[in-house]
Amino acid sequence: MVYIIGLLTLVFLVLTVMVIARLRNVVKGVNSGTETRPENIPSGNSWNANLFILFTIFSIIGVIGTYIAAEEDFLPAASSVHGRRLDDLFWFSMGVLAIPFLVVNFLLFYFSYKYQYKPGRIATYYPENHKLEIIWTAIPAIVMALLVFTGWRAWSDITSEAPADAEVIEIVGKQFNWIVRYGGVDDNRLGNYNYKLIDAQNEVGIDLTDENSLDDFTNNTEIHIPAGRPVLLKIRARDVLHSVFIPHMRVKMDAVPGMPTKFWFVPDKTTNEIRAELGDPNFDYELACTEICGRGHFAMRMRVIVEDEASYRKWVSEQKTFLQTYPEYLAKVPDNLKSKAMKYLPENPTAPATAPADSTTAQEAGAVGVGASASVR
Amino acid sequence: MSSLETGIDITKVHDDDHAHHEELSFWRKYVFSEDHKVIAKQYLITGIFWSIIGLGMSVIFRLQLGFPGIDMSWMRPILGQWLDETGKLDPNFYLALVTMHGTIMVFFVLTAGLSGTFSNFLIPLQIGARDMASGFLNMLSYWFFFIAGVVMFISLFIQTGPASGGWVVYPPLSALPQAMPGSGLGMSLWLVSMALFIVSQLLGGINYITTVINLRTRGMSFNRLPLTIWAFFITAILGLISFPVLFSAALLLIFDRQFGTSFYLSEIYINGEALPNVGGSPILYQHLFWFLGHPEVYIVLLPALGITSEIIATNSRKPIFGYRAMIASIIGIAFLAFIVWAHHMFVSGMNPFLGSVFMFLTLIIAVPSAVKAFNYTTTLWRGNIRFTPAMLFSIGLVSLFVTGGLTGIILGNSALDIQLHDTYFVVAHFHIVMGAASAFGLFAGVYHWFPKMFGRMMNTTMGQIHFWATFIGVYLVFFPLHYTGIAGFPRRYYTFTSYEFTKSFTDLNAFVTIAAIFTFIAQFLFLYNFFYSIFKGKKASKNPWQSNTLEWTTPVVPGHGNWPGEIPAVYRWPYDYSKPGAKEDFIPQTVPHSQTPESNLPHENEEIAIEKDIEAQNFNDQFRNAH
Ligand code: HEM
Ligand SMILES: [Cu+2]
Ligand SMILES: [Cu+2]
């Protein structure tokens, strides 16, 4: 990092000095009137030509130097299967594109230097060359075709339907945190939801009239995912747009109110593994928001914990279901499911019969929101 | 004023060089002027005003990014309530600044300031017309822009602050006043301002198109048009087709905000309340917005490329290489610009199949763009280059266009965009290719046509220093941002201290901020040079760059109607520089082939025969017809 600063400062300084030197030179030039350039040639013509060469040299050093220095701080190799494919594709494309970047910029600056004004020289009248033009239309076209093809293959694989054995986890964005919901301690199936059922406790609008909802549980600080198996994120937003971003997994998908989205991937490095690999016992995967969503957009952090299957299962089975946390919601469970729901209540249910104050409104809302109640399965 | 002349014997008009025009009042001459040259200057000055504000904002939020939590108390007189007690910038205001910076730079500076200035100034002068097709609409166009600016300016000072949802103002964030303070009155003003701005663009655009089609002088066929005009012409068409779509997007947003419709809103629970709206789609807005938004980047870039073509040819003393290929690539880019918009939406949740289609179309655009870059480079080859400030900025533009364009190929790849979307990689990409490149076009244009605008020269040395400081500065600011983008830093973040993965690069961010301040300060060199030279610059000659195009055949300061006598006829293309055999290294468009037998190419000798026809043509002179 220090190197970056060092190098860039150097470039910065040298060029500033050059400019100042140039300035002084001009002042001198004005005084002594030595230059014998025709009126139409701007003052300092050759100076500017030389500066292009200097600029080229310094920027080559700068680009390579800063790249080497910056590389240490790039993200570690992706911890997901598709992520590593994307990394390869990214660096391959960057490699291909580095060629025109260097060549065209170099030629541009070199020609500027080489063909600077010289008294008596006449520029070459060279208005076109069809062969040349066809060649340099065809080459980018071929390269593009190659890049499109590789990109398209990766994209279709990544966006294909999730495998049937994927672990389905719902993630909901709101101002300004994420909430995850799991299919449950027993049935591992997400129940329905309805945004009209949302309230201060039921933050994701779990619809308790659906049998599958009864054992669902939520978490708004951590998301646990199993390693070595596809994970399907069912993504939605409560208020405004958000975007799920797990940088180390190369995962990103917008969360859209009213339009559930999804993204599946195969994480294959547990948190413990990557901690060992990086030699950093405090390392954590993180989940961020990348769609501007208001004041707290920059701080929607959620910890991502990747575990092996066994400890993941164990963690799931230890979670407190939603009903366990808020037993008063038993009132919203229809009578035919009540007996089943009792199972997910705390040992001594605290007066499940007394309905919470807002239950009627919620039921009403549920009825109004026909059609809006969606299945996430 | 014009009604007075109706009935004057048309053959006598102009013998007296407009002496019959009564002096216009100050207001009609400089304020509510219908003269394209005055309107162009109005656009330019207004654009400069907005660029100072827009760039100043970027310095403020860059300070926060480079030095998180920095004490800005010394700016309290300007920022007032937006600083907390300790002098820290408020996160909401950070977003407001970013949003206003983006809106101002894209629309007010580079659309109005660049295209408005040079389309207005150069179209009549370079095609040989007395003025725009409709001076009145042209005047209206400026004043709509002006009012749009006033409304936006007012929004900066209201209690809840200006619009803050990013320059794209995606709903629902922008639709719900309860979502953030900036989505209240500030957002309404943003929408009003943009609606006015769009009207201004449409009035301007219709005028540019009509003028180019109808008012070209004798002999100025489309294949003799300078590339600047081609670029302005195509740009105007782009704007005319795409701006109305933004207008509808804004209109529907206004409906959702004010009248309870649900175009963009569905299933929202906010502030403890479930809203009744169902069935709308935020994605719809994104499609509509980017249907303008993508062409918009070419609306700002194409005029810059046109200006560059002209300047590079003139100062290399060579014809632009591949004139026809340049026109074809402008048209190709413009056409493709309409069918790539959804590359901004790869991870918005739209159907992945669309993603594949848009990736394919997007990468095709690279081909005409590459052709342009190669053609510029080849134009320099074996030239005899004069490094005027305009030429330097043009070369800089090509470099930035290449550098920024190449990262576009990465971002246009839907698979790679998954990781890079909405990170600093995007910020680096579009600042280089659209922000800096177009700004360089603006600078190049001002340095090059300043003598025609104000009859005086700008200081060359100061211009050269301004170029080097800006060129180096821009690379120092934006190149390192690629690194933070690759490291996954998301954009529109108030600070990078909330995540472990963004804790690196603190030095780099500080460095970028310092470079940004340096670059910003360097612009005052330009401002000084500009305003000083208007009044005190060296007097210009008629054709200081020894250029071929028509504007240099007008008097040093062209008056009303541009040419005192008849409008000159045009006999050749604008790029006859360093033609073998010719006495001088340039042959203006007004010189007939019959006068240059020594340098004519074989097929050009045939053109001598049609010179008579050109001369016999209708003058196409607005002043000849009673007006
Ligand atoms: C001194 C020069 C400039 C600096 C330092 C600068 C800096 C920045 C930065 C750091 C951001 C991202 C902020 C964030 O996402 O949190 C930004 C956004 C932006 N800038 Fe600039 N910028 C400069 C000039 C320009 C120019 C010339 C343009 C013209 C196109 C421009 C257009 C934009 C746009 C459109 C955005 C996006 C706004 C948004 O996210 O809604 N900037 N600028
Ligand atoms: Cu968010
Ligand atoms: Cu685009």
Side-chain angles (χ1 to χ4, degrees):
Chain A
M1 198 51 235
V2 188
Y3 298 104
I4 298 192
I5 299 296
L7 259 163
L8 287 177
T9 325
L10 191 74
V11 178
F12 209 36
L13 273 179
V14 169
L15 286 160
T16 321
V17 169
M18 302 259 336
V19 168
I20 292 168
R22 161 93 195 85
L23 185 65
R24 298 209 11 228
N25 191 274
V26 168
V27 176
K28 262 188 265 158
V30 170
N31 296 341
S32 53
T34 44
E35 269 187 272
T36 54
R37 66 191 160 80
E39 199 214 334
N40 287 306
I41 308 308
S43 61
N45 211 59
S46 57
W47 262 94
N48 284 282
N50 296 341
L51 277 174
F52 274 114
I53 291 301
L54 267 171
F55 183 83
T56 312
I57 296 170
F58 279 111
S59 42
I60 290 174
I61 300 174
V63 168
I64 296 174
T66 55
Y67 174 78
I68 293 170
E71 202 187 359
E72 309 166 1
D73 288 325
F74 290 167
L75 295 169
S79 301
S80 61
V81 176
H82 82 280
R84 281 190 300 278
R85 180 171 177 187
L86 290 183
D87 284 359
D88 291 345
L89 195 56
F90 175 75
W91 290 112
F92 168 73
S93 307
M94 285 294 260
V96 171
L97 298 175
I99 299 169
F101 168 66
L102 294 174
V103 172
V104 181
N105 271 312
F106 174 78
L107 288 181
L108 190 68
F109 299 147
Y110 175 69
F111 287 169
S112 300
Y113 166 78
K114 175 115 193 272
Y115 300 108
Q116 60 182 290
Y117 166 81
K118 292 264 164 54
R121 188 176 63 213
I122 294 178
T124 308
Y125 187 83
Y126 190 61
E128 57 192 355
N129 178 338
H130 288 301
K131 216 158 128 197
L132 207 58
E133 290 176 80
I134 288 171
I135 292 175
W136 70 38
T137 310
I139 291 178
I142 294 167
V143 176
M144 284 309 121
L146 178 77
L147 293 180
V148 169
F149 185 67
T150 51
W152 171 74
R153 291 256 311 257
W155 172 253
S156 359
D157 290 348
I158 293 167
T159 56
S160 60
E161 281 304 320
D165 67 332
E167 180 74 4
V168 182
I169 302 169
E170 182 185 60
I171 177 160
V172 183
K174 70 176 251 289
Q175 289 177 327
F176 294 102
N177 65 279
W178 297 98
I179 304 153
V180 282
R181 177 163 70 118
Y182 287 80
V185 291
D186 287 336
D187 65 1
N188 200 17
R189 299 173 114 188
L190 287 163
N192 291 346
Y193 65 85
N194 183 336
Y195 85 104
K196 300 223 165 170
L197 298 175
I198 296 174
D199 57 39
Q201 287 84 40
N202 188 359
E203 289 191 297
V204 294
I206 302 175
D207 179 358
L208 289 168
T209 60
D210 180 359
E211 188 177 341
N212 293 320
S213 306
L214 300 178
D215 67 341
D216 289 5
F217 62 90
T218 63
N219 191 321
N220 44 21
T221 53
E222 293 179 349
I223 171 170
H224 287 243
I225 51 181
R229 190 149 78 82
V231 171
L232 171 62
L233 295 180
K234 298 258 184 186
I235 304 165
R236 58 194 177 95
R238 245 172 63 163
D239 37 33
V240 300
L241 295 172
H242 299 272
S243 187
V244 173
F245 179 35
I246 313 177
H248 298 95
M249 305 282 170
R250 319 295 190 252
V251 166
K252 188 178 290 139
M253 182 52 70
D254 282 5
V256 185
M259 191 189 96
T261 58
K262 58 183 194 285
F263 196 105
W264 74 271
F265 60 106
V266 185
D268 61 355
K269 212 176 270 173
T270 64
T271 300
N272 286 334
E273 279 165 1
I274 192 155
R275 280 179 180 169
E277 196 181 301
L278 298 175
D280 176 1
N282 297 318
F283 176 89
D284 259 322
Y285 292 120
E286 295 177 295
L287 190 150
C289 178
T290 47
E291 185 63 70
I292 182 174
C293 57
R295 189 180 204 280
H297 169 53
F298 67 100
M300 283 181 56
R301 178 173 191 263
M302 177 170 244
R303 223 152 66 95
V304 181
I305 292 150
V306 185
E307 301 172 285
D308 56 45
E309 189 71 30
S311 47
Y312 173 72
R313 280 279 144 240
K314 181 157 170 291
W315 176 81
V316 167
S317 65
E318 286 165 358
Q319 298 308 299
K320 264 172 96 180
T321 63
F322 175 73
L323 277 176
Q324 229 160 354
T325 321
Y326 301 109
E328 64 272 25
Y329 279 77
L330 187 61
K332 303 217 172 147
V333 178
D335 290 338
N336 60 340
L337 295 177
K338 278 231 164 67
S339 58
K340 195 165 178 230
M342 297 303 271
K343 192 175 149 211
Y344 301 110
L345 291 181
E347 296 302 312
N348 294 310
T350 45
T354 44
D358 62 343
S359 76
T360 43
T361 43
Q363 266 157 12
E364 212 173 84
V368 172
V370 233
S373 183
S375 165
V376 283
R377 250 167 292 124
Chain B
M1 61 168 193
S2 33
S3 59
L4 289 178
E5 284 123 37
T6 348
I8 291 182
D9 178 1
I10 52 163
T11 53
K12 272 167 64 188
V13 176
H14 292 287
D15 291 348
D16 50 4
D17 188 17
H18 279 75
H20 58 276
H21 274 271
E22 86 272 42
E23 242 338 278
L24 292 168
S25 72
F26 172 84
W27 284 97
R28 297 282 303 172
K29 204 165 163 186
Y30 297 109
V31 183
F32 297 105
S33 171
E34 295 183 12
D35 186 313
H36 71 103
K37 300 181 289 299
V38 177
I39 295 175
K41 289 177 204 169
Q42 290 174 328
Y43 269 112
L44 181 58
I45 305 280
T46 318
I48 289 176
F49 167 81
W50 278 113
S51 68
I52 298 170
I53 296 191
L55 292 177
M57 287 173 164
S58 72
V59 171
I60 297 175
F61 63 71
R62 209 41 257 186
L63 275 174
Q64 159 64 23
L65 289 176
F67 309 97
I70 187 176
D71 182 354
M72 298 194 190
S73 312
W74 56 279
M75 274 195 285
R76 202 174 287 281
I78 316 176
L79 300 179
Q81 44 146 341
W82 294 111
L83 299 177
D84 68 10
E85 318 78 55
T86 58
K88 267 194 352 211
L89 199 63
D90 178 79
N92 272 323
F93 192 57
Y94 174 89
L95 295 177
L97 282 176
V98 170
T99 305
M100 282 298 115
H101 162 75
T103 307
I104 289 171
M105 296 312 291
V106 172
F107 292 113
F108 291 0
V109 178
L110 293 179
T111 305
L114 171 64
S115 173
T117 303
F118 290 103
S119 298
N120 267 308
F121 192 72
L122 292 179
I123 289 178
L125 283 172
Q126 288 198 332
I127 66 171
R130 297 284 179 202
D131 204 316
M132 283 290 178
S134 166
F136 179 69
L137 289 188
N138 210 19
M139 175 185 86
L140 275 190
S141 160
Y142 173 76
W143 287 103
F144 267 102
F145 165 50
F146 185 85
I147 300 170
V150 170
V151 174
M152 197 65 88
F153 194 72
I154 290 172
S155 84
L156 298 177
F157 298 98
I158 61 179
Q159 183 67 31
T160 49
S164 317
W167 80 284
V168 299
V169 295
Y170 282 173
L173 184 60
S174 60
L176 305 172
Q178 58 271 50
M180 72 194 308
S183 295
L185 181 59
M187 188 60 214
S188 300
L189 292 175
W190 191 96
L191 287 165
V192 170
S193 170
M194 285 317 293
L196 293 167
F197 183 79
I198 293 167
V199 173
S200 148
Q201 284 305 301
L202 297 182
L203 290 172
I206 298 171
N207 236 330
Y208 306 152
I209 294 172
T210 327
T211 311
V212 172
I213 293 180
N214 291 313
L215 295 178
R216 281 165 293 123
T217 183
R218 295 169 294 161
M220 182 60 93
S221 53
F222 269 94
N223 56 11
R224 289 188 186 138
L225 278 185
L227 286 170
T228 32
I229 303 300
W230 268 107
F232 298 150
F233 179 59
I234 302 290
T235 303
I237 295 176
L238 268 178
L240 208 57
I241 299 176
S242 57
F243 267 112
V245 179
L246 179 65
F247 193 83
S248 0
L251 208 61
L252 299 186
L253 187 50
I254 292 175
F255 279 17
D256 273 7
R257 288 168 54 82
Q258 312 292 347
F259 309 122
T261 53
S262 310
F263 291 106
Y264 307 134
L265 305 178
S266 185
E267 302 185 29
I268 290 168
Y269 177 91
I270 191 165
N271 274 9
E273 182 196 6
L275 305 185
N277 314 60
V278 284
S281 164
I283 307 286
L284 169 65
Y285 175 86
Q286 298 177 22
H287 279 297
L288 294 175
F289 179 87
W290 286 112
F291 189 85
L292 159 90
H294 189 81
E296 173 64 22
V297 312
Y298 290 102
I299 291 174
V300 309
L301 193 58
L302 284 179
L305 291 174
I307 287 171
T308 297
S309 311
E310 184 64 27
I311 294 173
I312 287 192
T314 305
N315 289 293
S316 304
R317 313 310 292 163
K318 273 188 66 184
I320 190 84
F321 182 80
Y323 174 73
R324 277 163 199 283
M326 289 302 240
I327 297 172
S329 62
I330 293 178
I331 295 175
I333 289 175
F335 173 71
L336 289 169
F338 281 119
I339 47 175
V340 299
W341 76 88
H343 62 210
H344 299 272
M345 301 166 57
F346 286 139
V347 294
S348 67
M350 88 182 168
N351 187 332
F353 172 71
L354 281 181
S356 315
V357 175
F358 278 95
M359 157 165 63
F360 178 67
L361 294 168
T362 301
L363 296 197
I364 299 180
I365 271 204
V367 177
S369 309
V371 169
K372 286 194 96 69
F374 294 146
N375 283 9
Y376 288 129
T377 313
T378 315
T379 306
L380 297 179
W381 181 71
R382 291 206 178 176
N384 201 18
I385 303 172
R386 302 171 175 180
F387 293 108
T388 62
M391 180 63 171
L392 290 170
F393 274 102
S394 300
I395 296 173
L397 182 153
V398 178
S399 167
L400 294 165
F401 181 58
V402 171
T403 308
L406 288 170
T407 49
I409 296 173
I410 300 268
L411 293 168
N413 187 323
S414 55
L416 300 180
D417 192 53
I418 294 174
Q419 175 72 2
L420 295 170
H421 179 70
D422 268 345
T423 65
Y424 265 78
F425 197 85
V426 178
V427 176
H429 156 71
F430 77 74
H431 273 91
I432 293 180
V433 75
M434 132 157 133
S438 309
F440 272 43
L442 180 62
F443 286 130
V446 172
Y447 280 113
H448 194 75
W449 280 288
F450 190 89
K452 200 52 23 195
M453 286 184 174
F454 299 101
R456 291 174 186 271
M457 308 294 287
M458 286 177 81
N459 182 306
T460 307
T461 305
M462 222 188 278
Q464 291 166 338
I465 295 174
H466 171 225
F467 164 74
W468 285 106
T470 310
F471 191 47
I472 295 168
V474 162
Y475 268 122
L476 290 185
V477 173
F478 295 116
F479 202 82
L481 294 186
H482 291 111
Y483 299 142
T484 59
I486 294 171
F489 284 43
R491 66 193 277 208
R492 296 168 179 156
Y493 265 29
Y494 167 68
T495 167
F496 292 115
T497 49
S498 319
Y499 292 89
E500 294 303 324
F501 80 97
T502 56
K503 290 248 164 85
S504 51
F505 287 126
T506 43
D507 303 4
L508 188 76
N509 267 319
F511 173 80
V512 167
T513 299
I514 293 167
I517 295 171
F518 165 81
T519 317
F520 181 66
I521 292 173
Q523 304 318 306
F524 286 90
L525 211 58
F526 169 80
L527 284 185
Y528 172 79
N529 197 353
F530 181 82
F531 287 107
Y532 179 87
S533 306
I534 289 181
F535 303 104
K536 298 271 174 65
K538 203 176 92 203
K539 281 256 173 2
S541 58
K542 219 171 132 176
N543 186 0
W545 319 120
Q546 301 180 300
S547 180
N548 288 343
T549 37
L550 275 186
E551 74 273 27
W552 306 106
T553 63
T554 61
V556 175
V557 182
H560 174 55
N562 297 338
W563 285 268
E566 263 174 21
I567 303 179
V570 163
Y571 302 97
R572 59 176 76 229
W573 76 326
Y575 298 109
D576 268 347
Y577 291 105
S578 302
K579 217 167 176 194
K583 289 192 265 319
E584 292 207 70
D585 68 354
F586 70 113
I587 311 176
Q589 285 191 278
T590 49
V591 177
H593 285 115
S594 53
Q595 286 178 22
T596 56
E598 68 282 0
S599 65
N600 285 350
L601 300 172
H603 71 274
E604 286 170 341
N605 282 322
E606 293 158 25
E607 306 227 336
I608 296 177
I610 60 169
E611 278 168 15
K612 286 273 172 307
D613 298 338
I614 291 179
E615 276 146 34
Q617 266 172 37
N618 196 329
F619 278 96
N620 210 359
D621 183 339
Q622 288 155 286
F623 287 6
R624 282 279 173 140
N625 313 316
H627 68 290

